[in-house]
Amino acid sequence: MTSTMTGGVFWAVAVALAAMVAYILVSALRRVPAESNSAEADLAVYRDQMAEIARDLQRGTIGPEEAERLRAEVGKRVIEADKTLKAGSVAGGRTPTGAFAAVIVAVVVAGGAAAYWGLGAPGYPDMALEPRLAALDDGIRNRPSQEAELARQGRSRDAALDARLATELAAVTDPEALRARFTQRFEAGNLQEAVRVQERALALAGDTASSQDHALMALALVVEAQGYVSPEAELQVKQSLTLDVTNEISRYLVGEMFLQGGRYDYAFKFWRPIAESGNPESPFVQQVRDEIADVAELAGIRYAPPADAGSGPSAGDVAAAAEMTPEERQAMIEGMVAQLSDRLATEGGDVEEWNRLIRSLAILERLDEAQKIYDEAKAKFEGRPAELSFLRLAAVETGLNP
């Protein structure tokens, strides 16, 4: 017997199961007692209560006034039950079980089939978990190269610039000069040159290249490809983690790679350590903490992310927002954005707060303001490649000019 079903067998089994569920529900509906029967049972209870009141009065456990009050209360219930009983008798004690049964059959059988036809994949063979994961892994292994992705984006590298850079950089042998040039080009958004400069720095360092050197190479490639983690970037990440498995930039990027390939379980595996024990000042750690709950859910993992002491909304803010109208919620968001903007302008803040402000303004479709804030943030974090790359990703993802 094969492990997959033909289309006909699948639909036969599905309809049979739906019909079985509908039959169980209809049978349960028919066993529900009529309203008149319920009223008769209530009247019997009330008669027993009246008798119990009389016995308590005779024993002296209640006084005449209390007995009278209880009789009046039970009497009201008797009148209501009697009305219900008479109404049920007039109607013949029938309930519209036929109509309910028809609705149940329509919803369970016909509605279920229609929902699957629209949301499912009719005719697509079933696939066990292992083949699905193997297909995802194969997709990751065979994903496009850096050059192919840049070409797809319409941003192929300039061959003439590459030739000129090769000549210029061949004469540079000072590692500090290369680091300075990389930072300058990266900050300016000249990513093709930044990539070539870092390639020269790695070639010059050879086996002495650090984990951070490889991480910055990977980061330059990812930013150049507008967030896409290519095989070339993956190679640099692997070399970085071989030298220092705790490198936060590389762990963040390898998680992004697995997210892009649909392997949420692997992304969670790489992100969890830095979410729980990473440097809270690192923008990459903060980004992981913001996203890891969603990643865990996609991976089918129950996970409570670590408490974040950032300046985001409190639990009270979230609860209040849930009860607001869309207009009130919009006003609250704009107020929080204004407060954050004012505080950054007067007191400053970390890169995650600048990132949050840029993304919030983009969500509010205030792109001119977002661009202005992004330009201010670039000036503030000048000379700090990790922070600048974090901001650049935010700019690329929100449609700003990086």
Side-chain angles (χ1 to χ4, degrees), residues 326-341:
E327 294 77 14
E328 291 172 336
R329 191 176 299 114
Q330 179 79 0
M332 184 193 76
I333 293 171
E334 291 184 351
M336 294 174 69
V337 168
Q339 290 177 3
L340 178 57
S341 180

Side-chain angles (χ1 to χ4, degrees), residues 49-243:
Q49 289 178 345
M50 285 291 192
E52 184 65 25
I53 293 170
R55 286 193 293 271
D56 288 345
L57 178 62
Q58 187 175 9
R59 289 196 297 265
T61 55
I62 59 174
E65 293 182 359
E66 178 68 10
E68 188 62 28
R69 185 186 67 79
L70 292 173
R71 287 194 187 101
E73 183 176 337
V74 175
K76 292 179 183 178
R77 298 175 184 173
V78 169
I79 292 172
E80 292 298 325
D82 187 57
K83 289 180 181 179
T84 300
L85 183 61
K86 289 178 180 178
S89 298
V90 171
R94 294 187 300 272
T95 58
T97 55
F100 288 158
V103 170
I104 289 173
V105 171
V107 170
V108 174
V109 180
Y116 178 75
W117 188 265
L119 301 176
Y124 194 84
D126 58 314
M127 183 182 290
L129 178 61
E130 289 187 5
R132 286 204 306 270
L133 296 180
L136 291 174
D137 291 339
D138 187 60
I140 292 174
R141 282 191 297 270
N142 296 298
R143 69 193 189 279
S145 67
Q146 183 84 5
E147 294 287 352
E149 178 62 18
L150 291 175
R152 187 193 68 80
Q153 296 175 6
R155 302 169 53 251
S156 297
R157 287 173 175 158
D158 184 342
L161 176 58
D162 267 350
R164 179 173 63 80
L165 288 173
T167 302
E168 288 181 11
L169 294 173
V172 181
T173 58
D174 181 4
E176 290 302 324
L178 288 170
R179 289 193 186 95
R181 186 164 178 172
F182 170 81
T183 300
Q184 183 184 27
R185 297 301 184 270
F186 189 90
E187 291 177 3
N190 298 329
L191 295 171
Q192 180 177 342
E193 187 168 352
V195 167
R196 296 311 186 204
V197 169
Q198 193 64 9
E199 283 178 346
R200 172 59 178 162
L202 289 173
L204 194 63
D207 293 340
T208 65
S210 68
S211 172
Q212 190 70 356
D213 291 334
H214 289 289
L216 290 177
M217 182 74 234
L219 189 60
L221 290 167
V222 170
V223 176
E224 182 188 35
Q226 297 192 345
Y228 171 69
V229 185
S230 66
E232 292 84 352
E234 179 190 4
L235 177 61
Q236 296 298 324
V237 164
K238 287 180 177 178
Q239 291 175 315
S240 173
L241 292 177
T242 299
L243 295 168

Side-chain angles (χ1 to χ4, degrees), residues 188-353:
N190 298 329
L191 295 171
Q192 180 177 342
E193 187 168 352
V195 167
R196 296 311 186 204
V197 169
Q198 193 64 9
E199 283 178 346
R200 172 59 178 162
L202 289 173
L204 194 63
D207 293 340
T208 65
S210 68
S211 172
Q212 190 70 356
D213 291 334
H214 289 289
L216 290 177
M217 182 74 234
L219 189 60
L221 290 167
V222 170
V223 176
E224 182 188 35
Q226 297 192 345
Y228 171 69
V229 185
S230 66
E232 292 84 352
E234 179 190 4
L235 177 61
Q236 296 298 324
V237 164
K238 287 180 177 178
Q239 291 175 315
S240 173
L241 292 177
T242 299
L243 295 168
D244 179 9
V245 74
T246 66
N247 187 288
E248 290 167 351
I249 295 177
S250 293
R251 292 191 77 96
Y252 173 78
L253 292 178
V254 77
E256 280 290 331
M257 180 192 73
F258 283 122
L259 283 181
Q260 292 169 12
R263 286 306 303 260
Y264 308 115
D265 52 337
Y266 284 169
F268 178 79
K269 175 183 176 182
F270 276 91
W271 278 6
R272 182 172 185 173
I274 58 173
E276 295 178 353
S277 58
N279 177 10
E281 300 299 322
S282 168
F284 297 98
V285 171
Q286 187 61 50
Q287 186 74 7
V288 166
R289 289 181 176 177
D290 289 343
E291 298 181 18
I292 195 168
D294 293 335
V295 173
E297 184 176 354
L298 289 169
I301 298 170
R302 291 181 176 273
Y303 179 69
D308 187 1
S311 58
S314 65
D317 294 331
V318 174
E323 300 176 357
M324 292 180 176
T325 64
E327 294 77 14
E328 291 172 336
R329 191 176 299 114
Q330 179 79 0
M332 184 193 76
I333 293 171
E334 291 184 351
M336 294 174 69
V337 168
Q339 290 177 3
L340 178 57
S341 180
D342 291 342
R343 184 164 61 77
L344 291 178
T346 56
E347 303 174 12
D350 58 30
V351 69
E352 172 57 28
E353 291 173 317

